[in-house]
Amino acid sequence: MPDAFTTHVLHVASGSVERIVDLTDDCQAFLAQVSGDRDGLLNIFVPHATAGIAVIETGAGSDDDLLAALHSLLPADDRWQHRHGSPGHGRDHVLPAIVPPHATLPVVGGRLELGTWQSVCLVDTNKDSPERKVRLSFLAGS
């Protein structure tokens, strides 16, 4: 029988542009390996001070809309106290207060229980850090 708790780190090349990276297939592949078709919870965590995890629709413009909304809320200009890195980088450090660095999602029968149009995504506005780690942790129910 598989372990009740299993974890794995994804290495994501988010590049040098603001991006939303769909992690849904990576999450499903992880669950296929470790869940044993059990119910439980999947926690997705990005251990970075300038990135977040969102559950959103992708591919129909919603990912671009989210980036546009973040630009409106958190402009990349010189207003920020945190000033190292590229211009406006201080806003990247505020991002996790709006898009949290984690999500915990239900797993039923070894599969993510997502809505029809929902995807698990890394939200990365930090152009200074092209590589990200994302920790996937599955906790099986008893």
Side-chain angles (χ1 to χ4, degrees):
M1 174 152 221
D3 293 334
F5 179 81
T6 310
T7 190
H8 173 72
V9 175
L10 299 173
H11 296 274
V12 179
S14 56
S16 59
V17 296
E18 297 177 0
R19 284 190 60 200
I20 294 179
V21 180
D22 190 336
L23 303 174
T24 309
D25 289 344
D26 296 303
C27 292
Q28 293 288 75
F30 170 69
L31 290 170
Q33 291 177 351
V34 303
S35 72
D37 297 329
R38 295 175 294 173
D39 296 348
L41 296 171
L42 177 67
N43 179 265
I44 304 100
F45 175 71
V46 56
H48 299 282
T50 59
I53 299 294
V55 178
I56 63 169
E57 177 181 7
T58 60
S62 297
D63 36 356
D64 291 332
D65 290 341
L66 176 56
L67 288 175
L70 291 172
H71 274 276
S72 293
L73 291 169
L74 305 170
D77 58 23
D78 64 357
R79 73 183 69 201
W80 307 100
Q81 298 296 316
H82 190 105
R83 294 186 186 264
H84 77 83
S86 60
H89 174 66
R91 75 169 190 132
D92 299 326
H93 288 274
V94 177
L95 174 76
I98 295 169
V99 181
H102 59 86
T104 300
L105 304 173
V107 176
V108 177
R111 296 197 47 84
L112 277 174
E113 187 74 5
L114 293 172
T116 302
W117 305 112
Q118 289 179 317
S119 296
V120 179
C121 298
L122 169 69
V123 179
D124 189 0
T125 59
N126 183 355
K127 299 182 273 188
D128 297 336
S129 296
E131 293 285 328
R132 297 300 187 160
K133 293 178 183 173
V134 179
R135 179 170 295 280
L136 305 179
S137 300
F138 176 67
L139 179 62
S142 49

